[in-house]
Amino acid sequence: MAIIFPDTSHTFGEYLLIPGLTTPECTVDKISLRTPLAKYSPAKEESRINLNIPFVSAIMQSVSNDTMAIALARNGGLSFIFGSQPIEEEAEMVARVKKFKAGFVRSDANVSPKDTLADVLAITQRMGHSTIGVTDDGTPDGVLCGIVTSRDYRLSTDSLDRKVADFMTPFERLTTGCKGISLSEANDIIWAHKLNALPIIDEEQRLCYFVFRKDYDSHKENPLELQNPHNKTLMVGAGINTRDYKERVPALVEAGADVLCIDSSDGFSVWQQETIAWIREQYGDSVIVGAGNVVDREGFRYLVEAGADFVKVGIGGGSICITREQKGIGRGQATAVIDVAKARDDYYHETGIYVPICSDGGIVHDYHMTLALAMGADFLMMGRYFARFDESPTEKLRIGNNIVKEYWGEGSNRAHNWQRYDGGGTSTTMKFEEGVDSYVPYAGPMKDTLDQTLSKIKATMSSCGTVDLKSLRKNAKLTLVSSTSIIEGGAHDVIRKDRT
Ligand code: RVP
């Protein structure tokens, strides 16, 4: 007879946390959200990647491109660049994240000494910058001849035909920095010489970057920035599939991806095992690769024994996902996380190896995040949450009185990511949709909302008497709630002023 699981499948909204003793040791300013991403032996070592906030953005066309990856890494999390695009394009996105150097800006407004004041004005208007690099050939990385700022010309008297060479501040009078200096060294030069911008050049006097006074301050606002400790680049992940991994993985590794993840709606498959085995054969343990998604201990165990560095949990809970309706597979996200977290802990007690788990999909309210972390997730993957921000790759539109952004599932016809829903065999197409195309309310720049979300998580952790995510997982007390008490949890039996 089939196995019927005795427990009901529950989701986050059916639970609440019960406070623990709050002490001076666990006030919000003392709480750490640092969390391991890759498997490790806690008795001997640290995880090779620790996130500074427990968030990763979903492996989706409508969520994770290079812009999102840079913004999220600067805030302490990590993006997985979507894999449902040609290999070269995914690798280019990864490379763009790796090239990003906080505070070091590649000059995108440049002229040559032979250009005219009219050219300078046109470029200033087009790019909105007031500092223009003057290079021998007018390219961003030509030999630096000088710079032009609005202090170098006077619109009321200067002729528009005037050559840049006549009014630029020439190289001999510039203060420059050498390629390789740190941001704080660049900042010291900026302050010592009262500059607004410092050009950084290489040994051939070619322009590499500008460092602007204002950008140093913004770097200091991101103390959680997630950097690769060896080369100080921002960290980035990338999605792969179980079909073209022999070509995709080398390209992504070459581009500098810090971590890969096999992206599948149902990861309990021989193809995931084969993919990981191939990666181990080619790269040993040097490539960090996650696998999933699974919803029970059997699936977890299979992927861990196949060599996965982390395991993603969740089927059918995603906001745009209709897998449960279409195929009748899945499990309430809370129950799935609790069950797989137990399997992770059992594996750790048996082997001394801790394999982090990621709860993927189904987070609606900020408090769901704390619940998922308390139930045992080491970190969370979110699509809808990040799709709402300026940094996501999709269109911002006005629909009626609302400003929205587009958000579509990888299993929708629009994304047509058949590899994610691959059942093996020769078919290279999707026979039916497992996701929808939708809108989400626009939520502005990521940082404002993210800071508020993190404050809520820390406030809850403080109420629970916990100072880090490990103690939250160990000490949290959770209770299932009735549907009546869910109603009691919102404002009720009053006429809200903001809704009249
Ligand atoms: P959510 O955060 O609830 O929007 O869920 C995002 C997750 O949904 C993704 O990380 C992925 O696991 C899943 N997904 C993506 N596309 C689809 C689909 O089309 N069914 N589902």
Side-chain angles (χ1 to χ4, degrees):
M1 193 193 151
I3 295 166
I4 313 270
F5 281 46
D7 53 342
T8 310
S9 222
H10 293 289
T11 192
F12 298 128
E14 295 172 75
Y15 285 88
L16 285 176
L17 281 154
I18 293 183
L21 177 67
T22 304
T23 65
E25 283 71 47
C26 61
T27 51
V28 285
D29 50 315
K30 303 213 175 68
I31 289 176
S32 161
L33 296 176
R34 199 170 138 87
T35 191
L37 177 129
K39 75 178 170 203
Y40 68 115
S41 302
K44 293 191 240 156
E45 61 195 357
E46 271 221 16
S47 172
R48 283 183 289 163
I49 299 185
N50 282 288
L51 302 171
N52 291 327
I53 62 169
F55 295 169
V56 298
S57 69
I59 315 171
M60 297 173 71
Q61 293 174 2
S62 48
V63 181
S64 297
N65 65 353
D66 45 318
T67 311
M68 172 62 69
I70 290 170
L72 185 50
R74 296 194 76 186
N75 283 291
L78 182 97
S79 289
F80 284 90
I81 303 285
F82 64 95
S84 52
Q85 60 177 326
I87 294 172
E88 310 73 53
E89 287 169 29
E90 186 180 11
E92 264 169 38
M93 283 192 179
V94 168
R96 283 204 286 273
V97 181
K98 299 313 282 182
K99 278 195 202 126
F100 177 85
K101 274 187 92 184
F104 289 80
V105 182
R106 206 172 124 85
S107 176
D108 56 3
N110 306 284
V111 290
S112 89
K114 290 188 214 126
D115 288 328
T116 61
L117 178 55
D119 296 319
V120 168
L121 295 178
I123 220 166
T124 311
Q125 204 169 31
R126 197 171 68 241
M127 309 298 292
H129 300 328
S130 56
T131 303
I132 312 283
V134 185
T135 57
D136 59 344
D137 53 4
T139 62
D141 47 13
V143 173
L144 184 66
C145 305
I147 63 170
V148 171
T149 71
S150 52
R151 277 184 266 166
D152 293 313
Y153 52 85
R154 213 169 145 200
L155 281 181
S156 53
T157 52
D158 284 351
S159 149
L160 292 179
D161 297 337
R162 226 181 137 197
K163 295 277 182 232
V164 168
D166 296 340
F167 62 88
M168 69 184 185
T169 304
F171 181 77
E172 303 70 53
R173 296 212 339 254
L174 287 179
T175 306
T176 55
C178 293
K179 192 175 173 192
I181 67 169
S182 70
L183 188 57
S184 82
E185 286 163 345
N187 192 54
D188 289 344
I189 301 175
I190 286 175
W191 279 91
H193 294 83
K194 300 193 171 127
L195 308 172
N196 280 325
L198 177 72
I200 308 292
I201 53 170
D202 67 9
E203 53 289 346
E204 290 166 4
Q205 202 182 308
R206 290 186 171 277
L207 177 61
C208 305
Y209 310 103
F210 276 112
V211 175
F212 294 96
R213 180 188 286 254
K214 62 178 176 19
D215 286 352
Y216 184 71
D217 297 335
S218 92
H219 178 64
K220 282 199 297 188
E221 280 166 23
N222 291 316
L224 296 176
E225 197 159 271
L226 191 68
Q227 287 186 349
N228 180 311
H230 305 297
N231 55 24
K232 302 288 175 213
T233 53
L234 291 182
M235 283 204 165
V236 62
I240 59 171
N241 63 67
T242 55
R243 288 275 176 158
D244 62 14
Y245 56 88
K246 292 184 186 163
E247 293 83 44
R248 195 173 288 270
V249 171
L252 295 171
V253 170
E254 174 68 29
D258 296 281
V259 46
L260 306 176
C261 184
I262 310 175
D263 183 30
S264 172
S265 107
D266 167 14
F268 192 4
S269 79
V270 168
W271 301 290
Q272 294 228 348
Q273 185 267 326
E274 286 170 2
T275 306
I276 300 171
W278 184 86
I279 292 174
R280 295 289 172 245
E281 233 173 77
Q282 302 295 314
Y283 299 96
D285 286 335
S286 69
V287 168
I288 299 174
V289 59
N293 286 8
V294 298
V295 286
D296 72 348
R297 53 192 304 123
E298 215 185 324
F300 170 83
R301 199 71 190 211
Y302 181 80
L303 293 179
V304 168
E305 280 164 7
D309 285 299
F310 65 88
V311 173
K312 228 148 46 74
V313 181
I315 297 179
S319 56
I320 32 48
C321 184
I322 51 171
T323 292
R324 293 185 196 165
E325 280 170 14
Q326 295 284 62
K327 284 176 70 183
I329 62 163
R331 195 173 193 188
Q333 187 63 13
T335 306
V337 169
I338 292 167
D339 196 20
V340 176
K342 274 195 207 123
R344 176 208 48 210
D345 292 348
D346 291 348
Y347 188 79
Y348 170 56
H349 291 129
E350 274 169 46
T351 63
I353 300 169
Y354 187 88
V355 184
I357 61 169
C358 168
S359 172
D360 177 14
I363 298 281
V364 180
H365 300 295
D366 289 348
Y367 84 90
H368 289 172
M369 300 172 190
T370 325
L371 286 172
L373 295 165
M375 287 167 184
D378 295 277
F379 59 103
L380 315 173
M381 178 170 272
M382 295 181 288
R384 191 196 60 86
Y385 180 82
F386 289 111
R388 301 172 302 153
F389 300 134
D390 282 328
E391 291 84 351
S392 82
T394 69
E395 287 281 311
K396 188 167 98 185
L397 306 163
R398 178 180 283 280
I399 305 279
N401 286 330
N402 301 313
I403 303 197
V404 296
K405 289 203 81 174
E406 292 189 290
Y407 178 44
W408 61 92
E410 289 295 297
S412 66
N413 281 338
R414 178 162 183 185
H416 195 78
N417 181 357
W418 64 269
Q419 291 97 331
R420 188 173 198 272
Y421 300 90
D422 188 12
T426 52
S427 171
T428 56
T429 184
M430 285 185 343
K431 296 267 184 324
F432 52 91
E433 287 188 295
E434 291 192 44
V436 301
D437 193 352
S438 70
Y439 300 120
V440 285
Y442 168 63
M446 175 196 298
K447 192 161 178 48
D448 304 349
T449 302
L450 187 60
D451 284 350
Q452 199 179 59
T453 299
L454 296 172
S455 302
K456 287 189 209 169
I457 294 179
K458 287 183 180 175
T460 311
M461 286 173 66
S462 176
S463 288
C464 292
T466 58
V467 73
D468 57 24
L469 293 174
K470 189 172 171 200
S471 61
L472 179 72
R473 286 195 296 274
K474 187 156 172 255
N475 300 319
K477 297 178 283 182
L478 291 141
T479 181
L480 264 173
V481 290
S482 69
S483 44
T484 325
S485 64
I486 292 174
I487 296 166
E488 185 187 59
H492 61 91
D493 300 304
V494 291
I495 300 165
R496 283 178 62 149
K497 289 188 182 170
D498 56 355
R499 304 215 176 138
T500 49

